[in-house]
Amino acid sequence: MSLANQFAAYTAWRGELSSHIAQFQGWLTQNELSDGQTDLRLTQLQDRLREDRLNVAFVAEFSRGKSELINAIFFAELGSRMLPSSAGRTTMCPTELLFDAAKPPCIELLPIMTRGTNSSVSEYKSYPDEWRRLLLDVQSPDAMQEALRHVSETIRVTPDEAARLGFSLEAGNGGLYEVGEDGLVEVPSWRHAMINFPHPLLKQGLVILDTPGLNAIGAEPELTLALLPNAHAVLFILAADTGVTQSDLQIWKEHIDGGGTSRRGRMVVLNKIDGQWDELKRPEEIEAEIQRQAAQCASVLNIDVAQVFPVSAQKALVAKINQDADLLARSRLETLESALSGELLPAKRDLVCDSTRADFGEVAQRVRGLLDARLGSLHEQLSELTELRGKNKGVVEYMMGKVRAEKDEFESGLQRYHAVRSVFTTLTNKLFAHMGMDSLRQVTQETRETMQGAVFSKSLSDAMVTFFMRARQALKQSSGEVDEILSMMDAVYKKFSVEHGLKLGVPPRFSLLRYEKELDRLEAWCDSHLNSMVSLLTNDKKNITQKFFEEVAVQVRRAFEHANRDAEAWLRAVMAPMETQVREHQIQLKRRLESIRRIHQATDTLEERIAELESVDKSLQQQVGALGGMVQGVQGLLGPEAEPVRAAA
């Protein structure tokens, strides 16, 4: 199956999953089984599925045929090249191809001078006025090509300005940024480009990231700190006529390689194999030469040769446009597409299944617990009323007193519930005192003051080390608060389950480990790029300080923002079952007392009330069956790992 067909199937699956969850949400509301937290959780789950993106990054040095490969894989049906592809440098800035229905087809360009500020590209995405927008005429391939050539534009600036913008003028950079005869340096006009194009795959959530060469990647660390690590697939393109050059190897080691291990979704493309198509050679000789080059690349990159895919992107594009099956087979693009779809989509689907399974499972268990609580209370009422058959008024009065005493006992127990809420609030405040954004802002400000006032390199280095140490300490202290909250809620769940028969199960777990790992990754990057002996001795103190806060501190802040958001969601989820079940138990106790009071006042209503409750029991049993059916439908889409919803104990 082609990548396009695979992606369409994945999109259809995602839509079906979202539809099932929407039906489940509507059914909960209709049957009065929902609450604010449950409704919010399911809405967020559907939003995530609707906004799901599949990110594929293409990374290479200049002139490796990267843009042509993107054209061949994704845009051949347009009948011409969408992205500019010619000898020399074409894509001069990182370029994202995506589709946003809220915008017209256009190309948005962020001026290179914005690098002189303290803001990242992701922050600038919130300020559309900072971007230059050019509308795209999607009906005219020529007009499209002309508009897209803007990603190749350059400007000439002074050497000082080039250095301030992050472009290295040092010897050994391949002569990429050199001072010309006019005393100026040619640099990209744009810092980042976003192409909003209504291509079928882009409409379904595909995002393509086209990156420039090594020097430009190094000048925009957000690529290496966020965009590339978060890509679901990274295609690293080499040229068969050059093999693995020194700059190729540097890109691979610094930005792609997973420490010599095979990372899922990381592929090496050996492009331009048509250079070996020598009519004076036998096909076996050509094949042997291509395999030799692939093996050599695999050896240099320290990967399995199966991860190297020889192709001819240019011939594949021609073959697709001219519908030449033989040429397409010789280009070997279909082998790469098959591997890409086989690696990318299953990996992405697994991620979606894992996150959906966890969130949906918690909601489903909570609803089942609520139904079990209602059934338990109903059966208790039925048992009480059945025992009253043929009994005198004194027995009814005794039963009414018994239920009233139970109600009073539960309401006195609510004082403990409110005390728990008070302690919960205190622990929550302590949690956010450690990991909240105010705390991180204070650490960041103190680090900035220390670095700006530093005289020696060691002071700069120590400030960066201390920043990460304090950030990590904040997460460690927060983990302690999380454990304390979990321990308390676990004890409270058990106590209320035993004393009042609430169906609470166990509180959901939460861990900050992923954010601790993210800090480790960011510190490792900082140590190799900023806080190294070479960097500290060869770079200006002001430049290192600016880079640290523009590039590293921004990503740490983003990690803390995500941690805070996830912690807030977990805190709501851990308290919601208690609130729901306490409220439900109060309602059921009032109903039991009211039933017996009505029977006490008019004994002829006993049989009517029993019949009424038996009808409610039948309705609840039907709801349990319907719940099981809907949950099974969702779990069936999530694969064999999904566990059935069990009745809360």
Side-chain angles (χ1 to χ4, degrees):
M1 186 184 291
S2 70
L3 179 61
N5 291 337
Q6 286 262 35
F7 199 87
Y10 168 77
T11 304
W13 166 81
R14 197 180 62 203
E16 185 178 2
L17 179 60
S18 181
S19 177
H20 274 67
I21 293 173
Q23 291 175 9
F24 177 66
Q25 184 178 19
W27 180 83
L28 292 181
T29 302
Q30 181 181 349
N31 289 276
E32 298 180 349
L33 291 167
S34 187
D35 55 40
Q37 175 60 21
T38 298
D39 200 54
L40 176 64
R41 200 88 176 266
L42 293 175
T43 298
Q44 290 174 337
L45 190 52
Q46 292 175 75
D47 288 342
R48 283 211 310 269
L49 288 170
R50 183 172 55 253
E51 297 168 3
D52 180 49
R53 291 286 184 266
L54 196 65
N55 299 292
V56 182
F58 289 74
V59 182
E61 266 292 25
F62 291 113
S63 302
R64 302 296 189 262
K66 175 169 43 67
S67 297
E68 192 78 324
L69 184 62
I70 296 174
N71 286 327
I73 295 177
F74 299 107
F75 301 114
E77 72 275 10
L78 297 178
S80 63
R81 291 182 175 90
M82 178 178 174
L83 294 179
S85 177
S86 59
R89 291 176 280 170
T90 51
T91 304
M92 293 295 295
C93 66
T95 302
E96 289 182 83
L97 293 93
L98 68 163
F99 180 69
D100 182 351
K103 297 179 181 178
C106 63
I107 176 170
E108 294 176 297
L109 301 158
L110 184 64
I112 193 66
M113 293 303 173
T114 58
R115 275 213 190 125
T117 68
N118 294 325
S119 301
S120 63
V121 171
S122 56
E123 288 177 301
Y124 271 110
K125 288 180 179 179
S126 302
Y127 301 97
D129 292 345
E130 299 288 343
W131 300 67
R132 180 184 174 191
R133 176 184 286 190
L134 300 169
L135 297 180
L136 295 176
D137 182 0
V138 296
Q139 304 302 323
S140 171
D142 292 339
M144 284 278 295
Q145 290 182 30
E146 185 61 33
L148 294 178
R149 286 195 182 96
H150 284 284
V151 298
S152 307
E153 291 178 341
T154 60
I155 58 173
R156 300 189 69 78
V157 299
T158 65
D160 287 344
E161 185 71 7
R164 189 179 71 85
L165 295 174
F167 296 104
S168 173
L169 306 180
E170 298 173 9
N173 66 2
L176 193 56
Y177 299 109
E178 292 184 339
V179 180
E181 293 181 359
D182 58 358
L184 300 177
V185 181
E186 185 179 63
V187 300
S189 293
W190 312 106
R191 182 180 180 185
H192 198 87
M194 293 192 296
I195 299 172
N196 193 51
F197 182 69
H199 183 278
L201 289 178
L202 301 182
K203 283 184 175 181
Q204 294 174 54
L206 178 68
V207 177
I208 300 169
L209 176 63
D210 186 6
T211 64
L214 173 62
N215 200 282
I217 287 180
E220 194 62 71
E222 191 170 358
L223 278 174
T224 57
L225 283 171
L227 295 179
L228 290 182
N230 292 330
H232 301 104
V234 175
L235 274 66
F236 181 56
I237 299 97
L238 302 169
D241 55 355
T242 61
V244 184
T245 67
Q246 191 60 38
S247 59
D248 288 326
L249 188 59
Q250 189 175 348
I251 290 177
W252 174 260
K253 287 183 175 179
E254 291 188 7
H255 307 309
I256 302 175
D257 185 27
T261 60
S262 175
R263 291 182 63 191
R264 193 171 188 180
R266 270 44 178 175
M267 303 177 184
V268 176
V269 180
L270 184 62
N271 195 19
K272 303 185 180 182
I273 62 168
D274 53 291
Q276 302 295 331
W277 295 357
D278 188 340
E279 294 180 359
L280 298 179
K281 291 182 180 178
R282 298 194 312 275
E284 308 87 70
E285 292 177 308
I286 295 173
E287 176 64 23
E289 177 60 23
I290 291 173
Q291 291 304 321
R292 185 190 67 79
Q293 287 183 312
Q296 188 176 36
C297 290
S299 176
V300 173
L301 298 177
N302 192 26
I303 59 173
D304 193 289
V305 70
Q307 285 181 263
V308 181
F309 296 87
V311 303
S312 172
Q314 192 270 335
K315 299 303 180 187
L317 179 62
V318 172
K320 284 188 174 184
I321 291 174
N322 295 333
Q323 298 183 347
D324 187 336
D326 291 337
L327 183 59
L328 183 60
R330 288 192 72 193
S331 75
R332 309 192 189 199
L333 186 70
E334 291 175 316
T335 303
L336 173 62
E337 289 181 325
S338 177
L340 186 60
S341 60
E343 283 267 350
L344 175 61
L345 293 171
K348 177 60 175 171
R349 178 165 172 159
D350 288 347
L351 289 174
V352 173
C353 284
D354 288 345
S355 63
T356 303
R357 189 181 292 118
D359 287 348
F360 182 80
E362 285 182 17
V363 170
Q365 289 285 8
R366 189 190 308 167
V367 173
R368 181 57 199 257
L370 181 58
L371 281 174
D372 285 346
R374 289 183 180 180
L375 278 169
S377 178
L378 182 73
H379 291 160
E380 194 169 351
Q381 286 188 64
L382 276 171
S383 176
E384 289 171 348
L385 296 184
T386 302
E387 289 179 8
L388 292 179
R389 280 176 168 155
K391 304 294 182 180
N392 59 35
K393 210 160 192 175
V395 173
V396 176
E397 289 176 352
Y398 166 78
M399 189 67 72
M400 186 165 60
K402 178 184 173 184
V403 175
R404 184 180 288 115
E406 187 177 339
K407 179 174 176 291
D408 291 341
E409 181 185 357
F410 179 74
E411 288 181 348
S412 65
L414 286 181
Q415 294 177 4
R416 186 165 57 250
Y417 165 73
H418 292 303
V420 168
R421 288 281 333 202
S422 177
V423 175
F424 182 83
T425 300
T426 300
L427 292 175
T428 298
N429 291 337
K430 289 174 66 178
L431 171 63
F432 288 116
H434 296 313
M435 67 180 289
M437 300 311 297
D438 288 341
S439 174
L440 182 65
R441 271 191 287 271
Q442 182 179 349
V443 172
T444 304
Q445 181 60 34
E446 291 174 3
T447 304
R448 187 188 296 273
E449 291 172 358
T450 301
M451 292 181 71
Q452 288 174 340
V455 177
F456 301 106
S457 296
K458 187 178 186 307
S459 301
L460 279 180
S461 178
D462 290 346
M464 288 185 271
V465 170
T466 302
F467 174 82
F468 279 103
M469 182 188 70
R470 293 178 66 182
R472 195 173 281 105
Q473 181 66 19
L475 289 184
K476 184 178 180 181
Q477 291 174 320
S478 299
S479 293
E481 300 298 342
V482 167
D483 291 342
E484 190 171 349
I485 291 172
L486 267 174
S487 177
M488 181 189 74
M489 294 308 297
D490 192 46
V492 171
Y493 273 33
K494 289 177 181 177
K495 193 169 186 66
F496 271 75
S497 295
V498 171
E499 292 184 358
H500 304 293
L502 304 188
K503 311 292 184 180
L504 290 170
V506 295
R509 275 10 191 187
F510 180 66
S511 172
L512 291 169
L513 179 62
R514 59 179 293 193
Y515 303 107
E516 293 171 8
K517 295 290 186 184
E518 178 67 2
L519 282 186
D520 291 343
R521 183 182 74 85
L522 293 171
E523 185 170 24
W525 188 94
C526 180
D527 288 344
S528 62
H529 290 78
L530 297 179
N531 196 13
S532 66
M533 185 64 68
V534 173
S535 178
L536 291 170
L537 293 177
T538 58
N539 287 280
D540 180 69
K541 180 194 77 170
K542 182 179 179 183
N543 187 34
I544 290 179
T545 301
Q546 182 176 354
K547 280 193 170 187
F548 179 80
F549 289 101
E550 285 182 5
E551 298 156 10
V552 180
V554 164
Q555 298 300 326
V556 171
R557 185 186 70 195
R558 190 165 297 154
F560 268 70
E561 286 173 348
H562 290 162
N564 275 264
R565 188 165 61 243
D566 289 349
E568 288 171 358
W570 170 71
L571 289 168
R572 289 195 296 268
V574 82
M575 184 54 75
M578 274 284 296
E579 294 173 335
T580 301
Q581 295 255 356
V582 165
R583 184 171 60 249
E584 183 71 20
H585 198 64
Q586 280 184 302
I587 292 171
Q588 295 302 332
L589 282 172
K590 289 179 181 177
R591 287 176 178 172
R592 284 171 60 194
L593 186 60
E594 180 61 26
S595 292
I596 297 175
R597 184 181 290 115
R598 284 166 54 190
I599 291 163
H600 180 261
Q601 293 172 349
T603 54
D604 57 345
T605 63
L606 176 61
E607 294 301 327
E608 293 177 10
R609 183 57 180 159
I610 291 175
E612 182 183 334
L613 292 179
E614 287 175 343
S615 176
V616 174
D617 181 46
K618 183 178 179 181
S619 176
L620 285 174
Q621 296 289 357
Q622 289 174 344
Q623 287 179 5
V624 170
L627 172 66
M630 281 184 288
V631 170
Q632 188 175 9
V634 172
Q635 291 177 335
L637 289 170
L638 295 176
E641 293 184 23
E643 295 185 0
V645 174
R646 303 181 182 89

